[in-house]
């Protein structure tokens, strides 16, 4: 008996593999062996398709569950996510500023956006979670507000050349429109709402309906098992197939996901899709914990820049599959200001899942993060705690945002005399450190994002750095 490494692949041969025994008779795989090989082929394809589809499934999951939870079913409906329970449904939500979010379709024609002036960060994204255009400080309006036209994949741009609006094209029919107000000033929030309007070409602006105060638990974490593939089949049925995605579409056909056809997998396909989804999630979780496409931002630490790929998710030579899968397994959305921040503009996202000894962090241990003084931000910084299982804000029994997110604007934080601060994560707080502590529970593995809003030059030239977590007990 041979193994795959030393198989002759000719004549009569028995080959031992990790997925079963393959037998060749006169060089042909036997019928029983052919079944094993086809199963292996399709499981591998399902696992790779899982990785490829993460941006699409992340958005269609959010869209459909927000529609059900908040009643956001109509053009012009914007959900305002403000409370912990509202935000805890979003994958790696930012907890320091409210979100104002809409999902729209371009199937009925281009969308016109009247966008408000003010200190906001936002954008329009396609359903591959690629920026179509930034809005606000990092957009072409640069915080002054303005009009935008969002075209669908095949819409004619000519009618809008002299419209005075910023014109952008989405590669997908479905789009995501969102922004955050980067101040706690209630008057700025109110004026931002008043200044926002949506319209279809040829129609009067639709009154924006802000859905607020729902304050309920929900989840936009993509489904496991067959639910993942059902959601993928739904969104693929709505979207055009890009040239870059045709190979993956071909891989999905034997698994029962075919453009223009209903998704009704038979018993074998269901079994292989279940295996492929589990394998795909294990693969991407491994990449998330051990990102081999990049290196830590500061040498000698375990802090990684969260978004480490191009806005288009491709280069001249590759589609950045591993890079984007790593992000969109544990997060949602990108904008120019997130992908390519510059000194004083945009947002920096850093993540860590290991301590100063290189060990994966645990929920049953307590850790200290020493944040040096003079964090280089023009606005503020925050440290937010997330669940490895759901990738949503950590559920530790707390009812307020500071139970899972601490930020430099928090007046309850206790800073050291030199301006530095020690933050703690673990099942219990060190003595006198309650104000600087976030609780972990049971075996729910955790990770953090350290966000820097409008990072300044010492971050970019690395003269300021963040040390790793120290396990203290």
């Amino acid at each position: 008996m041979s193994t795959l490494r030393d198989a002759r692949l000719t004549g009569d041969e028995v080959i031992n593999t990790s997925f079963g025994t393959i037998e060749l008779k006169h060089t042909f795989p036997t019928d029983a062996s052919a079944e094993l090989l086809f199963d292996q082929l399709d499981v591998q394809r399902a696992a790779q398709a899982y990785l490829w589809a993460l941006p699409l499934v992340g958005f269609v999951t959010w869209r459909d569950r927000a529609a059900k939870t908040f009643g956001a079913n109509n053009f012009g409906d914007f959900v305002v996510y403000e409370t912990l329970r509202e935000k805890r449904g979003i994958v790696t939500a930012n907890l320091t500023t409210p979100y104002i979010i809409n999902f729209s379709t371009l199937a009925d024609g281009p969308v016109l956006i009247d966008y408000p002036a003010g200190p906001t960060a936002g954008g329009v994204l396609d359903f591959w979670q690629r920026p179509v255009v930034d809005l606000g400080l990092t957009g072409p309006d640069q915080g002054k507000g303005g009009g935008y036209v969002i075209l669908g994949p095949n819409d004619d741009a000519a009618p809008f050349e002299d419209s005075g609006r910023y014109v952008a094209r989405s590669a997908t029919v479905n789009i995501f429109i969102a922004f955050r107000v980067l101040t706690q000033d209630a008057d700025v929030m109110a004026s931002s709402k008043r200044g926002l309007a949506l319209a279809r070409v040829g129609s009067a602006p639709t009154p924006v309906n802000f859905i607020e105060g729902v304050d309920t638990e929900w989840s936009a974490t993509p489904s496991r098992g067959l639910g993942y593939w059902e959601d993928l089949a739904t969104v693929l049925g709505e979207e055009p197939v890009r040239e870059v995605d045709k190979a993956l579409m071909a891989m999905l056909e034997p698994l029962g996901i075919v453009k223009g056809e209903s998704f009704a997998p038979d018993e074998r396909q269901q079994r292989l899709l279940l295996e492929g989804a589990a394998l795909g999630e294990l693969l991407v979780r491994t990449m998330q914990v051990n990102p081999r496409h990049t290196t830590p931002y500061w040498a000698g630490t375990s802090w990684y820049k969260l978004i480490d790929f191009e806005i288009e998710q491709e280069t001249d030579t590759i589609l950045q599959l591993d890079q984007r899968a790593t992000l969109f397994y544990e997060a949602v959305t990108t904008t120019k200001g997130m992908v390519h921040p510059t000194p004083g503009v945009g947002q920096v996202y850093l993540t860590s899942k290991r301590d100063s000894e290189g060990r994966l962090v645990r929920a049953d241990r307590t850790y200290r993060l020493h944040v040096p003084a003079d964090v280089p931000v023009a606005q503020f910084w925050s440290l937010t705690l997330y669940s490895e299982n759901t990738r949503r804000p950590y559920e530790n029994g707390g009812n307020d945002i500071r139970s899972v997110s601490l930020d430099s604007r928090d007046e309850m934080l206790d800073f050291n005399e030199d301006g530095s601060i020690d933050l703690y994560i673990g099942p219990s707080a060190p003595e006198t450190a309650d104000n600087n502590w976030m609780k972990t529970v049971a075996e729910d593995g955790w990770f953090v994002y350290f966000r820097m809003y409008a990072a300044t030059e010492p971050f970019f030239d690395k003269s300021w750095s963040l040390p790793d977590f120290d396990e203290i007990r």
Side-chain angles (χ1 to χ4, degrees), residues 55 77 80 105 156 330:
D77 284 350
V80 180
T105 177
D156 184 7
E330 71 173 50

Side-chain angles (χ1 to χ4, degrees), residues 61-368:
T61 301
W62 188 352
R63 181 196 69 182
D64 292 351
R65 294 191 190 161
K68 181 177 180 181
T69 303
F70 300 96
N73 296 297
N74 301 312
F75 183 71
D77 284 350
F78 278 79
V79 178
V80 180
Y81 300 88
E82 191 162 13
T83 69
L84 176 60
R85 295 205 299 176
E86 290 163 350
K87 287 188 171 187
R88 194 152 54 196
I90 303 172
V91 175
T92 50
N94 147 58
L95 299 181
T96 52
T97 56
Y99 287 111
I100 303 172
I101 291 172
N102 164 278
F103 288 94
S104 288
T105 177
L106 299 168
D108 301 320
V111 170
L112 308 180
I113 304 172
D114 291 333
Y115 191 75
T120 68
V124 179
L125 278 66
D126 68 21
F127 253 44
W128 288 101
Q129 302 200 39
R130 302 180 310 165
V132 174
V133 65
D134 275 25
L135 305 171
L137 294 176
T138 60
D141 69 273
Q142 297 183 326
K144 299 175 183 177
Y148 290 81
V149 179
I150 311 301
L151 304 174
N154 300 311
D155 290 329
D156 184 7
F160 307 100
E161 288 178 355
D162 298 317
S163 67
R165 292 178 175 269
Y166 303 108
V167 180
R169 183 182 301 279
S170 171
T172 61
V173 171
N174 290 288
I175 57 171
F176 168 94
I177 307 170
F179 71 96
R180 291 172 289 165
V181 176
L182 299 176
T183 174
Q184 295 175 311
D185 188 330
D187 291 339
V188 175
M189 173 64 83
S191 65
S192 296
K193 290 180 180 178
R194 288 194 302 269
L196 182 67
L198 292 188
R200 297 286 185 192
V201 172
S203 301
T206 298
V208 170
N209 175 35
F210 294 103
I211 301 172
E212 303 181 74
V214 177
D215 193 31
T216 188
E217 297 285 0
W218 69 294
S219 170
T221 301
S223 299
R224 289 187 170 124
L226 284 179
Y228 185 90
W229 304 110
E230 290 165 356
D231 290 338
L232 176 59
T234 294
V235 71
L236 288 177
E238 299 171 4
E239 294 295 347
V241 177
R242 302 181 304 167
E243 192 70 28
V244 72
D245 295 318
K246 286 185 176 180
L248 269 297
M249 293 295 290
M251 292 185 183
L252 286 169
E253 282 201 359
L255 292 160
I257 300 178
V258 182
K259 176 74 174 174
E261 297 183 12
S262 60
F263 177 55
D266 60 28
E267 185 176 341
R268 173 185 174 273
Q269 289 169 328
Q270 291 183 40
R271 170 172 58 84
L272 299 177
L273 287 168
L274 288 171
E275 291 180 17
L279 177 57
E281 184 167 357
L282 288 171
L283 293 173
V284 72
R285 190 180 295 175
T286 297
M287 294 192 294
Q288 172 214 26
V289 174
N290 309 285
R292 61 184 184 179
H293 59 270
T294 188
T295 56
Y297 186 73
W298 295 290
T301 75
S302 294
W303 287 102
Y304 287 87
K305 190 178 176 185
L306 178 65
I307 306 171
D308 207 1
F309 54 84
E310 298 304 314
I311 288 174
E312 299 81 6
Q313 303 174 3
E314 57 185 288
T315 69
D316 290 341
T317 55
I318 66 166
L319 181 65
Q320 294 176 301
L321 285 171
D322 288 358
Q323 292 88 336
R324 79 175 191 195
T326 301
L327 173 67
F328 293 124
Y329 175 68
E330 71 173 50
V332 283
T333 77
T334 57
T335 63
K336 182 179 70 174
M338 294 165 64
V339 178
H340 295 304
T342 56
V345 179
Q347 305 88 45
V348 166
Y349 297 76
L350 298 162
T351 186
S352 179
K353 301 169 181 70
R354 295 183 182 272
D355 67 14
S356 56
E357 300 298 320
R359 299 168 299 204
L360 289 168
V361 295
R362 296 169 54 107
D364 60 353
R365 307 284 171 81
T366 298
Y367 300 86
R368 177 181 58 234

